[in-house]
Structure formats: structure tokens, C-alpha cells
Amino acid sequence: MTVTAEGLAPSHDVSLGFTVPGRDVRGRIVRLDTSLAAILAAHDYPAPLAATLAEALVTTALVGATLRDTIGGLTLQAQSSGPLNLLVCDWNAGALRGYLQGAPETPMGDLEAMFGQGHLAVTLDQTDTNERYQGIVPLEGAGIAAAIEQYFRASEQIPTLIRVHLGGDPAQGWFAGGILLQYLPRGEDGSTRRFAEDDGEPEPADWQHIRSLAGTITRDELASPDLSPEALLWRLFHEEEVRLFPGAAPVRGCRCTAEHITDVLTRFPESERADMRGEDGTIGVDCQFCSRVWRIHA
């Protein structure tokens, strides 16, 4: 494996992009350690709910990290009428946050069993144009990662493979990892598209080969703090040329601040803010992402 890279993230929270140019494939590996622990610690999630949120957080980081920082942020939001009725995760230039709402006794299962009927919205806020793009897919499949694979196939026509695993436990601490692989819709030379999954043509041999190699990844390899992303890529693609593109290490990034909340509240008419105020003259704002109540004078 030939490696070309500039600097590597030193912590267990890491985001590493890569390409396999000879196979027209790009990918990313994400590991969440302290960032995941901080997000899950905001609420006393039972293990099944913690695992579901962790999968969504890793998936959000995998997809979000493929965006240029100048483009904007990515949000995944699942809404339904089932035992789990709300899941929100977002990514913005390495800052990650998430929240899950639902019945504590919800058992592990596929998306339909856990969420019931609902949908998953993928929202891209483009900073440079101040525009918002949103795609929606059903809450179907084994998990959030599978739903996002379907999103890329249906909305972007990009063959995608995502694998995510959560390790650890509530007592010792959680650790999660994942890998994303995509067959590029165009070659690196900008040539026209060579393959679409819905055109009736067989998969290209290069994509079949990469998917087969990725199928050998074990859960322990995905979520092991003792196996670096570089070492994992060596195990998978040591016979290929692989180019590395280290990214910003993921961090817990709730964006609520007194200044931001005050700015939002002052946009309401005084009559409405008067109704919001408590006996102490402040307005209480509950941030579910960080499980904190802000008392704001506005």
C-alpha cells in the first residue's frame, strides 16, 4: 500500500479520508471515543438506545466528514410514531452532537421495530450559498447506516457501503468506529459516469472487489482503540495504492451559548417574550443536546 499523507490525528477520536484511485473508490474511517462518551453522558440512555444513537453519530460523522468545511453542515433527523420517536444528529466542521428520544424499554431491532412508521431526513446546509438541500428516505433496514446507504443509492446514485460498530459498555465507557466506501460516479479524470445501480448493468469488477474486501472487516477491527485506521486500511488494501487525507478529529460540539440563545429570543416580539418569562424574570431554554437549561434575560 502506497501512502501519501500530511500529519495524523493523535487521539482515539479520529477521521481519516482515503481513496483507492486504481479502483475509483473513496472512503473514510471514523473513530469516536471521548466525543461519543460526552454526548451519551448528557442523558442516561439504556444500552439499546445508546447503541442506536452511537450508530447514528458515527454515520453522521462518516458522511459529514466527506464535505468541505466551506460547504456547511449535515443533519440526520429521524421522526416516527414508534417507541423511538425522534433522533437528531448533526455535524459541522468536526463538531458533532446528537440526541435520541423514546421509550427507555425499547429493545434492539431493525429500524421498523424501533421507530415504527417514519422517515429519515438528510439535510445539507450550504454556508456559501445560504441554501438548504434535503433528501428523505423511509426508516427501513437493519439500522441508520443501512438507511443512509439507501439514501445514496436512491437520491445521489452513488453505490455506498457503510459499516459501524459500538464497543465498550456503560461501566467502562463506549467506543465506536465505522467505515464508509463509495464508488465514484466519475473517474478522477472527470470522465462520464460508468455505472448506476438502477440501470440494469452488473456491478463493475472494481466495486465488487472493494466490497468483498470490506466484507472481511470484523466488528472488533472497526471499534478497537488499539488498531489505528492506517493499520486497518493496510489489512484491507495492502495490495492497492491508497492515498490518505486526514481530517479534523471529531469533537462534541453543542452550539448552544448564552449569546446565541439571547440573539434568537430577541427576534420574538416583546409580548411573546413576556409570556415566556418565569417569576425570576428570565426565560428558560432547555437544550436536549447537552441536557442543560439556560436562564436568559431577554
Side-chain angles (χ1 to χ4, degrees):
M1 179 174 74
T2 303
V3 173
T4 57
E6 295 182 3
L8 299 173
S11 71
H12 289 317
D13 288 278
V14 63
S15 174
L16 179 65
F18 62 92
T19 63
V20 187
R23 303 286 183 175
D24 293 327
V25 167
R26 70 179 178 184
R28 181 149 307 255
I29 292 177
V30 162
R31 297 277 177 74
L32 301 182
D33 185 12
T34 55
S35 59
L36 177 65
I39 293 171
L40 295 181
H43 297 274
D44 186 19
Y45 293 112
L49 272 63
T52 300
L53 180 55
E55 180 192 10
L57 288 165
V58 175
T59 303
T60 301
L62 285 168
V63 178
T66 65
L67 305 174
R68 297 191 305 274
D69 291 346
T70 55
I71 290 180
L74 174 79
T75 300
L76 302 187
Q77 181 168 335
Q79 288 185 296
S80 72
S81 58
L84 300 184
N85 52 60
L86 178 64
L87 181 150
V88 183
C89 298
D90 67 32
W91 168 277
N92 194 301
L96 181 68
R97 63 178 184 171
Y99 169 66
L100 178 64
Q101 178 178 292
E105 66 276 7
T106 302
M108 287 296 294
D110 61 18
L111 290 180
E112 189 172 0
M114 299 182 73
F115 285 89
Q117 297 296 316
H119 66 269
L120 176 66
V122 181
T123 304
L124 174 63
D125 289 302
Q126 302 187 67
T127 303
D128 51 354
T129 62
N130 201 30
E131 295 179 348
R132 171 174 289 189
Y133 168 80
Q134 186 174 81
I136 295 177
V137 292
L139 280 168
E140 298 174 349
I144 295 296
I148 294 300
E149 287 181 347
Q150 175 58 26
Y151 161 77
F152 276 109
R153 285 193 296 267
S155 299
E156 305 293 334
Q157 287 79 52
I158 299 177
T160 300
L161 181 146
I162 301 174
R163 295 291 180 267
V164 175
H165 182 59
L166 174 67
D169 56 62
Q172 301 299 320
W174 298 110
F175 186 86
I179 187 170
L180 175 147
L181 293 164
Q182 293 183 315
Y183 186 72
L184 298 177
R186 299 179 185 274
E188 290 192 330
D189 59 358
S191 57
T192 57
R193 183 180 179 85
R194 291 188 292 271
F195 168 66
E197 289 190 322
D198 58 356
D199 62 8
E201 296 183 7
E203 288 186 343
D206 287 336
W207 179 236
Q208 289 183 3
H209 177 72
I210 293 296
R211 287 206 306 115
S212 296
L213 293 176
T216 66
I217 303 173
T218 68
R219 292 185 174 185
D220 289 341
E221 286 176 324
L222 276 178
S224 171
D226 299 322
L227 180 67
S228 71
E230 296 82 10
L232 177 55
L233 288 175
W234 172 261
R235 290 185 182 184
L236 288 173
F237 307 126
H238 59 273
E239 295 183 350
E240 307 285 346
E241 177 190 4
V242 177
R243 300 175 184 174
L244 305 185
F245 306 95
V251 296
R252 176 179 176 268
C254 192
R255 297 192 295 273
C256 63
T257 64
E259 293 76 14
H260 174 69
I261 296 172
T262 300
D263 178 63
V264 173
L265 290 175
T266 53
R267 300 174 191 177
F268 288 87
E270 168 58 27
S271 59
E272 294 186 22
R273 279 184 280 141
D275 292 336
M276 299 178 192
R277 295 188 185 105
E279 294 181 356
D280 62 355
T282 66
I283 299 175
V285 178
D286 185 2
C287 176
Q288 293 293 337
F289 287 105
C290 60
S291 191
R292 178 176 179 179
V293 177
W294 295 80
R295 307 303 308 184
I296 303 296
H297 291 276

